[in-house]
Amino acid sequence: LPHLESLDRDELRALQERKLGNQLARIRSTNPFYRDHWAQSGVSSEAVQSLDAIRELPFVTKDHLLADQTANPPYGARLGIDERDVHEITMTSGTSGKEKEVHAHSLADTFLRGELTAIGFAWAGLGSGDIGVAHVGANNAASLWTMVRGIRTTGRMPYLTGHASADERLDLMQRFGVNVMFAMPSGLTALATRCEELDIRPEHAFPNLWSIMTSGESWPVEWVERMEQFWGARIHEVYGSTQTNAAYGAACCEFGAVRNGQRAHNHLFEWTTYYEVIDPVTLEPTEPGERGELVLTHLDKEASPLVRFRTGDLVRWYPAGTCPCGRWLRSLETGTVGRVDDMLKIRGQNIWTSSVDAAVLAHPEVDELQVRVSVNDMGRERIEMRVGLRSGIVSDPSPFLTGVAAELKELTDLWIDVVAVDPLQLPHYDSPDLKPRRWTDDRHAGLQTAAGGLTR
Ligand SMILES: [Zn+2]
């Protein structure tokens, strides 16, 4: 969309403010959830005439959305359109049906989903006549319909792979071809491993694969470099969720996810969503280059609109103009999106569990891992990492595990006991819609036991 991608900051801001005014007026007249939410905090949305003034409005959290849909099933009072105009639904991932947010989409919203996702595919090089493949499951999460529409908008012929085994996927890709594909980092790594086991060489099997898009897990730069070398394709990243219009909310430009050995930029689609980045503790805006929680406001979405929704995603953001591609869009650093609840404080140190996982999983020898944080009888905190090693790569695990522990000490300033276990003992996260849960924190129970054992 060159006319939107080439806006300067003043033009973009004028567009955002005009859309915000229209969106708030529509929500006031159609949306009881926001009328109540804003009335409870004593603010008038009529007073919000600029982007800066949006900070007067209260945040919305996942808990608000879940309480609303429980009280007003199935969509919540925040639906904002006639129920007969709901064209599609998406749900967030969760461990039980109760914990899944429901987001409805009007017909116009579904076209918006396709358009935004198509931009990500287009920037990754998918053009008319090209084949796009998305390794995502068929379920009510945002991925499937979004990617099918995104591929069709800019390229052609998405075929379903998410239901299939790695072998079947590789077979389909060899028979029908692939130019650009999407897979989550762990799924892509698993696919590469299977290629090696079957002696499938991407340069022969997939000669026209030039880009791979990925999302949903953080990674070290070396992982991207290794994958680019293995597949002979450039790695791109996208950022998106059910809450970003159930589409991509940001994507890498033509430069990809790593440029000259450095993390690159996911450009935010600011013309359709207004993004803020706040300190999750003080709730104040963060400075460029700092990590903070991403907060979003839909400027176009008709059904289930979100206004100042706290995503729980921790990002590092950069101002417009940081990327040499020339787009005047703010951006997120690639490969480092984490979750606010990913952070653990251990022995006074903040640990980002996803960055620890990414560092360990970057070793091709490692198949999976689980970590348990506990407190022993003496009240001392212990971190134990159980690592499943791929068979036949490491002949003597002991020096390898010591090396991993030393690397983690460097990264976290904490000692982590790293032990090898049979990989079959560990949970695996091959499904693209399954969010890995590799850490358990048993310190509360341990503290109670330790405290109960005290003799005085
Ligand atoms: Zn760029």
Side-chain angles (χ1 to χ4, degrees):
L1 299 175
H3 60 294
L4 290 172
E5 292 176 37
S6 63
L7 293 176
D8 68 29
R9 293 306 291 178
D10 289 340
E11 292 166 333
L12 178 65
R13 191 178 178 87
L15 176 67
Q16 288 174 311
E17 291 194 333
R18 183 166 54 76
K19 285 187 175 186
L20 179 68
N22 293 341
Q23 180 77 324
L24 293 180
R26 179 166 62 204
I27 288 174
R28 271 195 298 277
S29 63
T30 59
N31 206 302
F33 169 79
Y34 283 100
R35 279 202 297 264
D36 290 352
H37 190 60
W38 294 338
Q40 274 168 25
S41 64
V43 295
S44 155
S45 68
E46 272 115 334
V48 178
Q49 299 286 341
S50 70
L51 290 174
D52 294 330
I54 202 171
R55 290 175 59 193
E56 303 294 319
L57 296 173
F59 292 113
V60 170
T61 65
K62 183 183 185 74
D63 287 344
H64 290 128
L65 303 186
L66 295 179
D68 175 44
Q69 68 197 41
T70 303
N72 307 282
Y75 302 108
R78 63 196 152 85
L79 177 60
I81 61 169
D82 190 315
E83 229 178 274
R84 288 168 300 182
D85 291 327
V86 173
H87 208 74
E88 227 162 58
I89 53 167
T90 51
M91 292 184 198
T92 54
S93 53
T95 47
S96 76
K98 253 189 165 175
E99 292 171 0
K100 292 181 181 180
E101 292 162 35
V102 177
H103 294 259
H105 308 277
S106 70
L107 183 59
D109 295 338
T110 65
F111 282 105
L112 181 66
R113 292 175 63 185
E115 180 180 275
L116 297 176
T117 305
I119 293 170
F121 276 99
W123 288 355
L126 190 77
S128 61
D130 298 337
I131 298 175
V133 171
H135 296 275
V136 297
N139 55 32
N140 285 318
S143 317
L144 179 70
W145 292 117
T146 301
M147 292 200 195
V148 165
R149 273 200 200 96
I151 290 169
R152 284 213 171 109
T153 301
T154 183
R156 70 182 170 100
M157 204 178 92
Y159 47 85
L160 298 184
T161 56
H163 64 289
S165 67
D167 291 16
E168 203 178 335
R169 292 176 195 208
L170 294 169
D171 177 55
L172 285 166
M173 284 159 53
Q174 289 179 82
R175 282 164 63 197
F176 296 104
V178 54
N179 301 122
V180 176
M181 70 176 184
F182 172 94
M184 284 183 48
S186 49
L188 184 64
T189 312
L191 215 52
T193 308
R194 192 61 188 144
C195 279
E196 280 206 329
E197 286 167 358
L198 297 172
D199 202 22
I200 293 175
R201 300 195 174 198
E203 66 268 33
H204 302 309
F206 317 114
N208 299 315
L209 174 65
W210 54 73
S211 294
I212 300 172
M213 302 161 79
T214 190
S215 186
E217 294 167 26
S218 56
W219 37 257
V221 167
E222 301 76 51
W223 176 83
V224 165
E225 290 171 341
R226 185 175 296 131
M227 284 293 130
E228 289 191 333
Q229 196 182 7
F230 179 84
W231 291 100
R234 174 167 284 166
I235 301 287
H236 284 245
E237 194 182 47
V238 292
Y239 169 81
S241 64
T242 291
Q243 296 92 350
T244 57
N245 298 284
Y248 295 164
C252 284
C253 60
E254 298 78 1
F255 291 133
V258 168
R259 182 166 182 267
N260 300 331
Q262 304 289 318
R263 296 184 185 280
H265 299 268
N266 271 317
H267 295 285
L268 290 159
F269 301 160
E270 292 183 84
W271 60 85
T272 190
T273 305
Y274 179 62
Y275 290 99
E276 302 167 75
V277 183
I278 61 165
D279 182 310
V281 179
T282 65
L283 308 181
E284 291 299 313
T286 57
E287 296 296 319
E290 285 182 358
R291 264 173 98 84
E293 182 178 356
L294 194 68
V295 173
L296 60 84
T297 298
H298 293 152
L299 300 176
D300 290 311
K301 195 164 187 302
E302 295 177 339
S304 311
L306 292 172
V307 178
R308 300 204 85 206
F309 177 75
R310 289 183 64 174
T311 61
D313 284 335
L314 273 178
V315 300
R316 179 172 283 129
W317 74 276
Y318 292 108
T322 312
C323 179
C325 74
R327 290 181 182 85
W328 284 92
L329 297 167
R330 288 179 179 163
S331 59
L332 309 180
E333 183 180 67
T334 57
T336 57
V337 176
R339 294 286 301 168
V340 171
D341 49 19
D342 270 352
M343 196 191 77
L344 283 181
K345 207 172 185 98
I346 303 174
R347 284 177 229 151
Q349 303 281 345
N350 287 337
I351 285 208
W352 305 103
T353 58
S354 52
S355 61
V356 171
D357 296 350
V360 178
L361 292 168
H363 291 278
E365 296 88 348
V366 175
D367 174 56
E368 253 308 334
L369 63 93
Q370 281 283 307
V371 188
R372 177 169 176 257
V373 186
S374 59
V375 170
N376 69 12
D377 292 348
M378 311 293 285
R380 190 170 159 71
E381 286 167 306
R382 177 172 185 235
I383 317 169
E384 187 192 46
M385 177 180 285
R386 299 192 304 146
V387 173
L389 297 176
R390 293 184 201 283
S391 60
I393 305 184
V394 185
S395 51
D396 180 6
S398 179
F400 174 75
L401 298 174
T402 310
V404 169
E407 185 188 329
L408 294 179
K409 177 79 170 72
E410 189 80 12
L411 180 71
T412 64
D413 217 19
L414 290 167
W415 184 257
I416 298 177
D417 294 320
V418 184
V419 296
V421 295
D422 183 342
L424 295 176
Q425 286 181 15
L426 302 174
H428 285 68
Y429 306 96
D430 299 334
S431 161
D433 297 307
L434 206 59
K435 289 232 166 68
R437 285 183 188 279
R438 298 190 171 101
W439 288 62
T440 47
D441 186 354
D442 292 336
R443 284 178 293 176
H444 285 209
L447 278 176
Q448 264 170 2
T449 313
L454 293 175
T455 51
R456 48 178 294 186

